[in-house]
Amino acid sequence: MFVMAVRNQSAAFELIMKWQDERHGTSLLSVEVMELNLLSLASVVRFARAWNSRSKPLQVLINNAGIFSMGEPQKFSKDGYETHQQVNFLAPALLSILLLPSVVKGSPSRIINVNSIIHYMGFVNTDDMNFTLGKEKFNSTKAYSSSKLAQVMFNSVLQKRLPPEAGISVLCVSPGTVHTNVTRDLPKLVQVACNFIPLFLFSAQEGSRSALYAATAPEIPEYCKALKADEWPTCAYISHDCRPTRAANEAHNTRAANEVWEKTMDMIGLPLDAVEKLLQGEEVMCKYKDS
Ligand SMILES: NC(=O)c1ccc[n+]([C@@H]2O[C@H](COP(=O)([O-])OP(=O)(O)OC[C@H]3O[C@@H](n4cnc5c(N)ncnc54)[C@H](OP(=O)(O)O)[C@@H]3O)[C@@H](O)[C@H]2O)c1
């Protein structure tokens, strides 16, 4: 059974009906839709609580949703965070940790984060994740690349904190350059121009290859285990053509990655030992309560 966690449930139902029609009634799709708005950390807590209360195993979590508001002015969520940081990084980080009780039940299980090669351009300033202190002047490319690099750094620490016996593989994947709705915030004229270049871009199906490979390939758990045993500083990173690849140099800086971890745990309202507590079956309180 698959669950689509989305902010627009009716659009998801329409999509599922379209997929069902395309199967010409061969078999019924088993896809459930649940509400999740990554612009609200309370929504993340609510989703995780609802899922965990089923006491069912979660074998694969794919953090796919993301925004790249190209050319848009700086915006903040109700939680007070710059929106690229919140949607692309902070909310998926909170979700991954709060769902650990179910992910442990699904072991051997996988947490997959849809990242981007743009993380190679990124820089994370833990003193100014919101780009408000003026040291790093805001633009959407900086915010996007920073959120994607922070995601690699945070998940690298997460995979280290998970003991091998938990049987959880943590990965980041790059989808490549894909013809999707990611250009939705560009001026209309540029969007029209983008419609003429799909020949140079992957289709959405092609763009999903690395995430599907990470989710299903039988060699992935062994690969992640080997990286951990070798004390490789980052989590596994899979390229658009489904090959293990090296994440950005900055992600190999263990001290910087730990700083990102600590800052993030504070921003998402969790105690620093949340992972260890959840693995021991203890309750963990999040500041962003399910209201
Ligand atoms: N396209 C590329 O070339 C490319 C390259 C590298 C990495 N990526 C990454 O690939 C992933 C998918 O992006 P895409 O290209 O498929 O872009 P997309 O077509 O714009 O899809 C983004 C998805 O994220 C969802 N989303 C956005 N804000 C959300 C929120 N607040 N709560 C819940 N869901 C939210 C959107 O839901 P709605 O439908 O409700 O808006 C949509 O389903 C992202 O992480 C992106 O950074 C894409």
Side-chain angles (χ1 to χ4, degrees), residues 5-8 11 36-40 63-68 87-88 113-118 144 148 151 173-184 201 204:
V6 297
R7 58 178 167 174
N8 183 343
L36 174 63
N37 184 353
L38 299 173
L39 274 172
S40 156
N63 288 311
N64 171 66
I67 55 167
F68 188 177
V87 174
N88 300 352
N113 300 281
V114 180
N115 197 262
S116 166
I117 51 165
I118 294 184
Y144 181 77
K148 293 292 185 183
Q151 181 173 60
V173 304
S174 161
T177 308
V178 192
H179 189 57
T180 62
N181 284 332
V182 77
T183 53
R184 70 183 83 188
L201 305 176

Side-chain angles (χ1 to χ4, degrees), residues 102-121:
S102 301
V103 177
V104 169
K105 283 194 187 93
S107 170
S109 45
R110 310 177 190 199
I111 297 175
I112 297 157
N113 300 281
V114 180
N115 197 262
S116 166
I117 51 165
I118 294 184
H119 89 277
Y120 289 106
M121 295 168 46

Side-chain angles (χ1 to χ4, degrees), residues 169-225:
S169 304
V170 180
L171 302 100
C172 287
V173 304
S174 161
T177 308
V178 192
H179 189 57
T180 62
N181 284 332
V182 77
T183 53
R184 70 183 83 188
D185 294 316
L186 288 173
K188 277 279 168 289
L189 199 62
V190 184
Q191 286 188 42
V192 172
C194 286
N195 285 330
F196 288 101
I197 52 170
L199 281 178
F200 305 102
L201 305 176
F202 289 140
S203 66
Q205 282 82 358
E206 289 166 332
S208 66
R209 284 179 298 201
S210 54
L212 287 177
Y213 170 76
T216 57
E219 62 271 25
I220 288 291
E222 277 309 312
Y223 173 60
C224 292
K225 231 162 115 184

Side-chain angles (χ1 to χ4, degrees), residues 55-70:
S55 296
K56 282 201 172 148
L58 178 55
Q59 271 109 8
V60 182
L61 167 66
I62 304 182
N63 288 311
N64 171 66
I67 55 167
F68 188 177
S69 308
M70 286 179 255

Side-chain angles (χ1 to χ4, degrees), residues 23 27 39 62 70 75 110 131 137 219 241 266:
R23 290 164 74 98
S27 58
L39 274 172
I62 304 182
M70 286 179 255
K75 285 188 218 128
R110 310 177 190 199
F131 295 86
K137 197 169 163 7
E219 62 271 25
D241 55 357
D266 180 46

